[in-house]
Amino acid sequence: MRFFPYDEPYGNQRDAMDRIHNALTRGQNVLFEGACGTGKTLSSLVPALEVAREQGKTVVITTDVHQQMRQFVAEARAITREEDIRAVVFKGKGSMCHIDVGYEECQALRDNTRSVVETQQDKQQLERRQRELLTESQNEGGGSAADARSAVMDELESIEEQLEDLEEKNVCDYYRNNLTENTDDFFAWLFDDVRTPDEIYEYAETQQFCGYELLKEGIEGVDLVVCNYHHLLDSTIREQFFRWLGRDPEDVIAVFDEAHNVEGAARDHASRACSERTFDSALEELAETDDIRADDAVNVLSAFHRALVETYEESFGFGDREAIGENWTDVPIANEGRRDDLTLEFLQRYSGQGIGDDLEAAMQLGQELDEEYEEAYREGETATRTECQTLQAAAFVSAWMNEGTAEGLYPVVSVTRDGGTDEVYGRAELYTCLPRQVTGQLFEEVYSTVLMSATLQPFDVTESVLGLEEPVTMAYGLQFPEERRRTYAVETPALFASDRDDPAVQEEVTEAIFDAARMTPGNTLAFFPNYGEAERYAERLERRIGSGEAVYLDEPGVSVEELRQEFVADDNAVLCTSLWGTLAEGVSFDGDDASTVLVVGVPYPHLDDRAEAVQEAYDAAFEGTETGWRYAVEIPTVRKTRQALGRVIRSPEDIGVRALLDRRYSRRAKSDLGRYSVNGTFPHEEREELLDIAPEKLKFAMLNFYGGHDAYDGEPPAP
């Protein structure tokens, strides 16, 4: 294929590219699972660019993992060196603004600046015209030229007055330079290579340009855009984004990397929340206006505000308020067969003539106040663009009342503590349980999509959850020599939550981890169900190992990259972390960085009320009593496990061991454990590689494996 930047595709890459090309040519969606070594990025990107060139479309490739963004840039640069394509990397305004203002302020500054520049240009044209007419009238000795000049001078006086007023308003000097200076050199530089947002920011800063606005101007009709998820998953941003591209949705081919994360990202993008502080600000805002509608707005918003506070206050038992920390903590409010507690409290406290009428009055007043704030900022009367809190609060309450019982929406209240003031306050949220309500619309709009990941199977579940219609599916396992790896299901005790504190269980699991680390000729990664378990076993390992090996512990709030660098610089260490942390995916441990990876326990997420709501929504949507558990909990958990296993064995030369420490992974335990077994949730080809092994035999198996590959420096360790 013409866009492939290297000599020849390898392994199954050619087959994958051909199948994806055929599917995209027909406008079909693709689910593409490929293990490390499949070359997923190029296998998807090359045929997408081919079809886009053939059919006059733009490819948008997107991810939510920073390391993958860097990989996309590297691959795009390789392609541009072989083929004439225009590619850009797009990022949100917040990270590229030179004067650090919000979106609304930026919009007002941009409009003001454009008005100033256009008025200055009108003035310059009129000045040129009056000079021409002056010369003409002097040569003619008066007459029509003098009359015309008099009219121009009147218009010029009016323009000067307008300009004087405009120049008192807030403007952006960076954007002014975009409009008044020659930007040809910038665009020549931009498309001479694939530039990152940081590079664009730095170059634009040296020229005193607004790089973000120039990037928006320059992306129209480009061949390839690299961006993050929210440019596609947020419908409002997506509409704007496609407009900047100069493309209708049907002229876009979307490629999602790490697509197993689309489900959660779509859910987060669709959820809506409004905090108690927004209601406080709205009520303060309404107190300052003498508009007659303010009374109706106060009536409805204050009732919801009081109901919110009362709802979470009533949920507190002895010591609960004191235990609230700075992270948001949910307060369950949903009820079976009737409205939630917050709505019921609101209805009880509201005493007006009609909630709908009062909300409409609040929305209208809020809209007018917002327009006033916009005008004040444009006119330079305020230094910042005020956001209308009444409009935000009223819009949220309206959505809460009208959509709170809709399929797939879960009403919830949360509380947090302000670290500065020690104040406890709450928020209300409509949590979206069904991501297909977001993704289904996207997949219908665009020409076609490729969703790629190392962990997309089972495909039928991905299709249902994301709302895909009959996609083309393909899966490619590890392309590296099978004899250079071993994958074990170690039959340590099942780490059910109720058994984790059992001293005998802890001792057996610690011994298995110790044996694995000791038999590894290099570094060992150990993933646990949560940070608490990681800390527990890190401490136990330190006591068991003594001074023999270093034990590193990944903790929340600690720089992951610094920890990773310190760990890989070692040559005989163990790193303990949570499988739900950032090291479990999107971070590679290549070559000698790590040789063995352990997943200790089945890392089910914390099953809170939100998780229960998602399960119930899936049960209802997909008509099955066990569907919710399987779709919402078990399959995502096994995907997380598979992602962790993929942190090692990153090239054909690597030698490594992957071990799952929990008998729920073993084939032999399926009949004993029933629904608690997760062995059957792995894809068939991966189950075939899983070798059941007793924990006391693990050290011998690893010794034989690594020893058989001459992996030890000097004498192998004694078993």
Side-chain angles (χ1 to χ4, degrees):
M1 290 191 174
R2 62 181 295 188
F3 290 99
F4 192 78
Y6 307 115
D7 292 337
E8 285 293 333
Y10 59 86
N12 290 320
Q13 203 169 32
R14 166 65 69 180
D15 181 67
M17 286 193 293
D18 288 342
R19 293 180 65 189
I20 293 172
H21 183 275
N22 292 337
L24 296 183
T25 299
R26 296 189 294 268
Q28 294 175 288
N29 296 312
V30 177
L31 292 178
F32 172 27
E33 178 173 297
C36 179
T38 310
K40 291 188 293 296
T41 300
L42 283 177
S43 295
S44 301
L45 188 54
V46 168
L49 287 170
E50 292 271 4
V51 173
R53 179 64 59 87
E54 294 163 3
Q55 301 192 20
K57 302 186 186 302
T58 290
V59 177
V60 177
I61 187 166
T62 178
T63 184
D64 66 340
V65 178
H66 293 303
Q67 181 166 310
Q68 288 304 109
M69 188 77 76
R70 292 193 292 269
Q71 177 68 22
F72 289 169
V73 172
E75 301 288 20
R77 283 174 172 165
I79 291 171
T80 58
R81 293 187 186 103
E82 301 296 324
E83 289 290 335
D84 182 21
I85 69 167
R86 293 195 305 157
V88 298
V89 184
F90 200 83
K91 206 171 183 180
K93 189 203 78 66
S95 60
M96 295 186 68
C97 182
H98 299 267
I99 58 175
D100 195 25
V101 296
Y103 174 78
E104 297 290 347
E105 290 173 291
C106 175
Q107 188 176 35
L109 286 172
R110 187 173 64 245
D111 292 345
N112 281 352
T113 304
R114 182 174 289 278
S115 294
V116 168
V117 170
E118 289 175 350
T119 305
Q120 287 174 334
Q121 291 170 344
D122 290 344
K123 177 187 175 184
Q124 291 167 0
Q125 290 177 352
L126 289 171
E127 286 175 338
R128 284 196 299 270
R129 182 59 180 153
Q130 72 87 11
R131 287 195 295 270
E132 292 169 357
L133 290 170
L134 176 62
T135 301
E136 188 177 332
S137 65
Q138 289 173 341
N139 293 336
E140 294 178 357
S144 60
D147 293 339
R149 179 174 181 273
S150 177
V152 168
M153 292 300 292
D154 289 342
E155 189 173 353
L156 184 59
E157 183 179 352
S158 175
I159 285 287
E160 287 174 339
E161 290 176 358
Q162 291 180 35
L163 189 59
E164 186 176 335
D165 291 339
L166 285 171
E167 287 180 336
E168 292 179 358
K169 299 180 180 181
N170 294 314
V171 297
C172 175
D173 291 332
Y174 286 87
Y175 185 57
R176 187 203 294 261
N177 292 335
N178 286 13
L179 300 175
T180 58
E181 303 295 329
N182 189 319
T183 57
D184 290 348
D185 287 347
F186 173 86
F187 287 113
W189 169 84
L190 178 66
F191 291 115
D192 187 51
D193 201 346
V194 181
R195 308 297 185 181
T196 67
D198 288 343
E199 291 171 338
I200 293 170
Y201 178 92
E202 291 169 5
Y203 185 90
E205 180 67 30
T206 64
Q207 306 297 312
Q208 295 292 286
F209 289 145
C210 173
Y212 177 74
E213 289 296 328
L214 288 177
L215 186 58
K216 278 170 49 180
E217 181 182 336
I219 67 172
E220 183 172 354
V222 297
D223 302 289
L224 172 65
V225 183
V226 180
C227 63
N228 54 31
Y229 277 179
H230 74 264
H231 287 97
L232 293 184
L233 294 180
D234 186 299
S235 59
T236 302
I237 295 175
R238 180 169 73 242
E239 183 180 351
Q240 273 189 335
F241 185 49
F242 287 174
R243 188 164 60 247
W244 297 334
L245 284 174
R247 297 293 194 187
D248 292 326
E250 58 266 26
D251 294 322
V252 172
I253 298 173
V255 180
F256 284 87
D257 187 46
E258 303 294 345
H260 59 280
N261 290 329
V262 170
E263 176 183 353
R267 191 177 286 126
D268 291 341
H269 273 86
S271 298
R272 287 164 291 179
C274 191
S275 84
E276 181 182 333
R277 289 183 168 179
T278 299
F279 286 100
D280 288 335
S281 299
L283 294 172
E284 291 173 5
E285 185 176 58
L286 290 168
E288 295 175 1
T289 179
D290 56 4
D291 191 288
I292 192 172
R293 293 166 296 183
D295 291 340
D296 294 335
V298 168
N299 195 33
V300 68
L301 296 184
S302 63
F304 196 91
H305 174 264
R306 293 195 306 272
L308 172 60
V309 174
E310 187 65 24
T311 298
Y312 71 70
E313 289 287 355
E314 286 185 353
S315 74
F316 292 151
F318 179 76
D320 287 347
R321 168 179 277 276
E322 290 71 24
I324 297 297
E326 294 183 27
N327 294 324
W328 287 101
T329 302
D330 286 351
V331 175
I333 60 171
N335 294 307
E336 186 72 32
R338 60 193 180 105
R339 289 299 296 257
D340 59 90
D341 291 343
L342 172 54
T343 302
L344 296 176
E345 185 71 29
F346 170 51
L347 294 173
Q348 183 176 336
R349 288 181 173 275
Y350 174 75
S351 59
Q353 298 301 309
I355 292 175
D357 291 341
D358 284 356
L359 281 173
E360 184 177 354
M363 291 282 286
Q364 291 176 353
L365 177 56
Q367 187 65 51
E368 291 178 17
L369 288 172
D370 197 58
E371 291 170 0
E372 290 177 13
Y373 297 151
E374 173 80 8
E375 184 66 20
Y377 184 68
R378 288 177 185 274
E379 296 294 328
E381 297 171 10
T382 58
T384 58
R385 205 284 193 186
T386 303
E387 299 291 331
C388 181
Q389 304 300 299
T390 298
L391 183 60
Q392 292 185 27
F396 179 80
V397 175
S398 179
W400 182 276
M401 297 304 295
N402 294 329
E403 303 170 29
T405 58
E407 179 192 22
L409 288 182
Y410 175 67
V412 63
V413 166
S414 307
V415 291
T416 187
R417 185 181 301 277
D418 186 313
T421 65
D422 204 40
E423 173 197 3
V424 171
Y425 64 98
R427 72 178 180 193
E429 179 182 357
L430 285 174
Y431 180 66
T432 299
C433 298
L434 298 175
R436 69 180 184 182
Q437 294 173 336
V438 176
T439 54
Q441 179 185 356
L442 167 64
F443 298 144
E444 286 180 8
E445 289 180 0
V446 298
Y447 173 74
S448 57
T449 58
V450 180
L451 285 84
M452 59 178 179
S453 168
T455 57
L456 278 182
Q457 296 188 75
F459 290 131
D460 62 326
V461 175
T462 304
E463 292 175 32
S464 298
V465 168
L466 297 183
L468 287 159
E469 296 291 336
E470 298 182 353
V472 174
T473 62
M474 58 192 74
Y476 300 93
L478 272 173
Q479 306 295 296
F480 308 141
E482 189 172 341
E483 63 272 13
R484 298 180 72 85
R485 66 180 184 269
R486 287 291 183 272
T487 308
Y488 298 111
V490 185
E491 296 177 300
T492 51
L495 282 179
F496 294 113
S498 58
D499 295 332
R500 289 177 186 170
D501 292 331
D502 186 326
V505 170
Q506 293 177 17
E507 183 63 26
E508 187 168 347
V509 172
T510 302
E511 280 302 305
I513 300 171
F514 172 71
D515 287 344
R518 196 163 58 89
M519 294 300 155
T520 298
N523 289 336
T524 300
L525 283 168
F527 291 96
F528 296 86
N530 53 58
Y531 284 108
E533 290 296 291
E535 182 178 9
R536 182 206 300 270
Y537 284 97
E539 292 173 354
R540 292 183 66 90
L541 275 176
E542 285 182 331
R543 292 195 299 269
R544 182 67 178 84
I545 291 172
S547 59
E549 298 181 18
V551 178
Y552 295 88
L553 176 62
D554 177 24
E555 300 175 277
V558 174
S559 169
V560 168
E561 186 54 32
E562 289 181 13
L563 177 66
R564 181 190 174 280
Q565 292 294 338
E566 190 177 352
F567 169 68
V568 300
D570 213 321
D571 59 2
N572 194 26
V574 181
L575 172 56
C576 297
T577 184
S578 168
L579 192 131
W580 297 95
T582 55
L583 288 172
E585 60 177 281
V587 179
S588 299
F589 291 85
D590 303 324
D592 295 332
D593 290 352
S595 299
T596 294
V597 59
L598 311 174
V599 175
V600 183
V602 178
Y604 288 121
H606 175 56
L607 299 180
D608 56 15
D609 289 284
R610 289 180 192 241
E612 294 288 345
V614 172
Q615 290 183 62
E616 291 175 6
Y618 282 179
D619 280 339
F622 306 122
E623 300 179 351
T625 55
E626 290 293 320
T627 303
W629 169 263
R630 182 168 179 263
Y631 282 26
V633 181
E634 184 173 293
I635 288 171
T637 296
V638 170
R639 282 178 177 155
K640 272 288 186 183
T641 301
R642 295 174 62 208
Q643 284 285 329
L645 293 182
R647 294 315 92 205
V648 299
I649 312 175
R650 308 290 296 181
S651 77
E653 292 75 33
D654 288 351
I655 299 169
V657 166
R658 306 176 300 176
L660 302 168
L661 276 61
D662 192 304
R663 65 189 300 261
R664 285 174 287 182
Y665 292 112
S666 74
R667 183 183 289 110
R668 284 196 292 252
K670 286 175 68 175
S671 58
D672 297 339
L673 294 171
R675 70 187 295 266
Y676 297 109
S677 170
V678 296
N679 180 273
T681 309
F682 285 79
H684 172 75
E685 63 275 11
E686 294 181 19
R687 291 200 304 272
E688 290 300 301
E689 275 200 45
L690 268 178
L691 302 175
D692 292 353
I693 191 169
E696 66 272 12
K697 294 182 179 180
L698 177 63
K699 58 185 176 183
F700 298 103
M702 291 182 63
L703 178 63
N704 291 337
F705 170 73
Y706 280 123
H709 287 281
D710 296 324
Y712 296 111
D713 290 332
E715 288 294 319

